[in-house]
Amino acid sequence: MTTLTHTNTPASKHWPLRFDAAWLEPLLVVLTLIGIVSGVLLEWLGVNPMTVLMVHIATYITGGFYAVREIIAALKERRIEVDMLMVLAALGAAYVDAWTDGAILLFL
């Protein structure tokens, strides 16, 4: 019978990036800011509305990723957090076509 044991081996030299919050969260914050600025500029330039909508949706995804994770964890414990109110307000802003305002909420 073979027994598998866990060994502490260093990460592969071919893939130096690790998926952890230490660098992913700041990256998503920067991408959210870029999405907000891009969305405002694209609207101002009169670009195709579908393109602007795609930028807004991508901004919501990057800005709301960690907030949604916190919401799920809080709901499992039957708690309501500020993150839930923030995401609901951002979704409400999107519903009334105020995408930029909602994205700014998610950026905060």
Side-chain angles (χ1 to χ4, degrees):
M1 180 172 184
T2 306
T3 304
L4 297 175
T5 59
H6 178 69
T7 59
N8 291 330
T9 57
S12 171
K13 293 179 183 178
H14 301 290
W15 186 256
L17 298 177
R18 293 178 23 180
F19 291 103
D20 59 356
W23 67 271
L24 185 59
E25 190 169 5
L27 175 67
L28 291 178
V29 169
V30 169
L31 289 176
T32 302
L33 180 61
I34 291 170
I36 292 169
V37 172
S38 298
V40 169
L41 288 175
L42 291 174
E43 284 179 357
W44 184 71
L45 293 171
V47 175
N48 180 4
M50 190 58 72
T51 304
V52 176
L53 179 63
M54 291 299 122
V55 169
H56 286 312
I57 290 172
T59 303
Y60 268 57
I61 291 170
T62 58
F65 179 76
Y66 278 101
V68 170
R69 285 183 59 188
E70 292 296 322
I71 290 169
I72 292 170
L75 287 176
K76 286 180 180 178
E77 298 175 5
R78 297 185 185 260
R79 290 183 296 121
I80 294 179
E81 296 285 332
V82 170
D83 292 327
M84 177 186 255
L85 301 174
M86 177 185 64
V87 169
L88 289 175
L91 291 173
Y95 182 74
V96 296
D97 204 27
W99 288 88
T100 305
D101 297 334
I104 291 171
L105 274 174
L106 295 174
F107 178 73
L108 299 176

